[in-house]
């Protein structure tokens, strides 16, 4: 089932076959599949990009044996360099937009929030597209950067908040490095059960955030108190931890795509996912620091 939430629906490279092995048929003559084997993105023995009848990336290779696959320019598989280059380009666009937003839009939060809203719409559109669109992804990054820059500049000018955005940036980098090390050393293992847990927890987190926002809009004050005091600190920590867990899922996506020969264009999808997750962690980190320094 595809979620309308861009954070959920972007999980997985192939829009046709699902998340790295969804809908993969069982081996003929093999043991009976467990209940989730047909939709398990991490089931052992299943190559989501293997040359079989259901693989859109294996055209013309079904009968090739004992020889490396021959890729045309249109089907060249993505590499780690592709992912790194496109992620750097996307994050660089976010930073450039944030610089403009910080300098010119700190006093125009209405325009900045408008840019953030449009960025969210673009993210949702990309999540439902069958193929990644570089123009759409870079447009999202630029507008998201404008929003983050203006918001960060505004918070930085508040009493006792000077330097808070830089602390949030450093905190985001620390979370990224820590999760990368944990993933590479297999301290964190992304399995089907791990994925289900993270998605369910994230849906609960977003639901509580939406309810809190409604109470703030119609009831005034701080709503249910999820964004201030001790409860706000706890909620902020949960948000950062969820973002870190989504990073692990992003790393798994990239690893599977490189290992199994996803098309090169899918590196844009990997860059899009990593950028969205890092933006999420930064926003939650900035909110958490603001609560801690405000109290």
């Amino acid at each position: 089932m595809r979620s309308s939430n861009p954070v959920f629906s972007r999980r997985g490279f192939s829009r046709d076959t699902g998340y790295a092995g969804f809908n993969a048929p069982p081996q003929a003559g093999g043991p009976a599949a467990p209940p989730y084997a047909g939709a398990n993105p991490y089931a052992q023995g299943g190559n989501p990009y293997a040359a079989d009848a259901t693989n859109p990336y294996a055209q013309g290779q079904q009968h090739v044996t004992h020889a490396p696959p021959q890729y045309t320019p249109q089907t060249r598989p993505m590499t780690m360099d592709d992912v790194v280059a496109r992620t750097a380009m996307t994050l660089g666009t976010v930073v450039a937009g944030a610089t403009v937003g910080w300098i010119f839009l700190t006093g125009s939060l209405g325009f900045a929030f408008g840019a953030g809203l449009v960025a969210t719409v673009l993210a949702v559109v990309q999540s439902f597209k069958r193929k990644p669109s570089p123009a759409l992804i870079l447009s999202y990054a630029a507008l998201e950067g404008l929003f983050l820059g203006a918001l960060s500049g505004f918070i930085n000018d508040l009493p006792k908040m000077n330097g808070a955005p830089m602390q949030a940036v450093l905190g985001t980098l620390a979370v990224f490095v820590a999760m990368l090390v944990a993933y590479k050393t297999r301290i964190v293992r992304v399995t089907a059960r791990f994925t289900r847990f993270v998605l369910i927890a994230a849906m609960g987190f977003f639901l509580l955030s939406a309810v809190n926002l409604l109470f703030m809009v119609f009831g005034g004050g701080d709503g249910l108190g999820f964004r201030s005091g001790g409860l706000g600190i706890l909620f902020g920590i949960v948000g950062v931890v969820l973002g870190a867990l989504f990073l692990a899922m992003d790393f798994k996506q990239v690893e599977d795509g490189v290992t199994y020969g996803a098309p090169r264009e899918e590196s844009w999808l990997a860059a899009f996912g990593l950028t969205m997750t890092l933006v999420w962690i930064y926003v939650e980190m900035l909110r958490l620091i603001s609560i801690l320094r405000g109290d």
Side-chain angles (χ1 to χ4, degrees):
M1 179 178 69
R2 177 180 292 171
S3 169
S4 61
N5 188 296
V7 177
F8 299 163
S9 60
R10 66 184 169 83
R11 299 288 153 187
F13 288 110
S14 172
R15 299 303 191 207
D16 297 319
T17 59
Y19 186 139
F22 272 17
N23 306 324
Q27 297 269 337
Y36 298 100
N40 184 351
Y42 310 111
Q44 296 298 319
N47 182 341
Y49 303 106
D52 58 41
T54 64
N55 185 357
Y57 308 128
Q59 296 178 4
Q61 300 179 35
Q62 287 85 343
H63 304 293
V64 177
T65 57
H66 305 296
Q70 301 298 316
Y71 295 101
T72 64
Q74 290 76 22
T75 60
R76 187 177 78 76
M78 81 175 189
T79 64
M80 190 60 69
D81 288 342
D82 294 329
V83 176
V84 171
R86 283 154 180 76
T87 302
M89 189 181 306
T90 307
L91 289 176
T93 303
V94 172
V95 172
T99 301
V100 174
W102 182 294
I103 295 174
F104 298 106
L105 299 179
T106 298
S108 304
L109 286 184
F111 182 84
F113 276 98
L117 180 61
V118 175
T120 301
V121 172
L122 293 180
V124 173
V125 171
Q126 172 57 63
S127 299
F128 281 92
K129 286 179 64 68
R130 295 177 64 85
K131 294 183 178 181
S133 169
L136 202 61
I137 292 171
L138 292 177
S139 297
Y140 155 79
L143 292 171
E144 191 71 57
L146 287 174
F147 166 69
L148 293 177
L151 179 64
S152 300
F154 174 80
I155 292 177
N156 190 71
D157 291 338
L158 294 176
K160 299 190 295 184
M161 296 298 171
N162 184 46
M166 181 55 65
Q167 290 180 330
V169 170
L170 294 177
T172 301
L173 290 176
V175 171
F176 178 85
V177 173
M179 185 51 66
L180 180 60
V181 171
Y183 180 81
K184 292 297 290 184
T185 57
R186 300 310 185 205
I187 295 175
V188 173
R189 296 178 180 271
V190 179
T191 63
R193 179 176 296 179
F194 176 97
T195 302
R196 288 193 296 270
F197 169 79
V198 174
L199 294 182
I200 292 172
M203 284 188 286
F205 181 85
F206 285 121
L207 179 61
L208 287 176
S209 296
V211 171
N212 186 67
L213 180 61
L214 289 175
F215 271 86
M216 289 176 61
V217 172
F218 296 104
D222 191 40
L224 299 177
F226 290 148
R227 293 306 183 185
S228 64
L231 189 58
I233 293 173
L234 178 61
F235 205 69
I237 293 174
V238 171
V240 172
V241 170
L242 281 175
L245 297 180
F246 269 115
L247 268 181
M249 293 169 63
D250 290 327
F251 296 151
K252 177 63 174 177
Q253 267 193 322
V254 173
E255 184 179 50
D256 285 349
V258 172
T259 300
Y260 297 139
R264 185 185 185 188
E265 65 180 6
E266 302 290 349
S267 58
W268 279 108
L269 189 61
F272 176 59
L274 284 167
T275 300
M276 287 188 66
T277 303
L278 289 172
V279 166
W280 174 4
I281 295 173
Y282 172 77
V283 170
E284 291 300 325
M285 190 72 71
L286 182 60
R287 196 190 326 259
L288 179 60
I289 292 172
S290 298
I291 295 173
L292 291 171
R293 295 181 65 166
D295 295 341

